[in-house]
Structure formats: C-alpha cells, structure tokens
C-alpha cells in the first residue's frame, strides 16, 4: 500500500466570474494564513469565508468566498 498526499487547491470565488486558482504557498500554512498571504493581491480575501475542505479527484479543495456588503 502506498500513501500519497493530495495537493491542496485554493480557489477564490468571485460571483459569476471564473474562480481564480491560487497556488499553495506551503503546506505548513493554515487556510486562514493562505488567505492572509494572498490578501495584498486580492483584497477580497480580508473578509472572505472559507468553504471546505472538499476532497475531489484534483485534491483537497478550499474555496474563498468573498462577502460583499453594502456601504452606508
């Protein structure tokens, strides 16, 4: 029996747009730390919720879902 580790896949969900797939910056980071890592490039991640993990044929999938509020 051979054990293999599934890759982690992080997706930034942007409403109706195609999700942005983010490279895993390192297995030692938690999904929240990954969101903070990418937040300077994707400000939506500062308030995003994290869905997952979901196991798929691709690997372990985490989805960052942006929370869009109203101003005022």
């Amino acid at each position: 029996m051979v054990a293999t580790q599934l890759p982690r896949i992080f997706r930034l969900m942007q409403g109706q747009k195609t999700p942005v797939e983010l490279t895993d910056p390192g297995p030692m980071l938690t999904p929240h730390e990954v969101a903070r890592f990418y937040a300077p490039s994707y400000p939506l991640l500062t308030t995003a919720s994290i869905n997952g993990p979901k196991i798929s044929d691709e690997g372990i999938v985490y989805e960052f879902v942006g929370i869009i509020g109203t101003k005022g």
Side-chain angles (χ1 to χ4, degrees):
M1 182 179 284
V2 177
T4 58
Q5 185 167 354
L6 294 173
R8 295 191 308 171
I9 300 165
F10 295 95
R11 291 193 179 124
L12 174 57
M13 310 306 285
Q14 306 180 88
Q16 301 299 325
K17 296 180 184 178
T18 303
V20 175
E21 198 154 304
L22 305 171
T23 304
D24 187 354
M28 65 284 186
L29 298 177
T30 67
H32 290 287
E33 291 170 329
V34 171
R36 282 197 302 264
F37 177 83
Y38 280 110
S41 299
Y42 301 96
L44 182 67
L45 288 172
T46 59
T47 59
S49 64
I50 301 172
N51 293 341
K54 295 178 186 173
I55 307 298
S56 75
D57 293 338
E58 302 170 273
I60 303 169
V61 180
Y62 293 89
E63 293 178 346
F64 298 120
V65 181
I67 300 170
I68 300 178
T70 57
K71 188 175 180 181

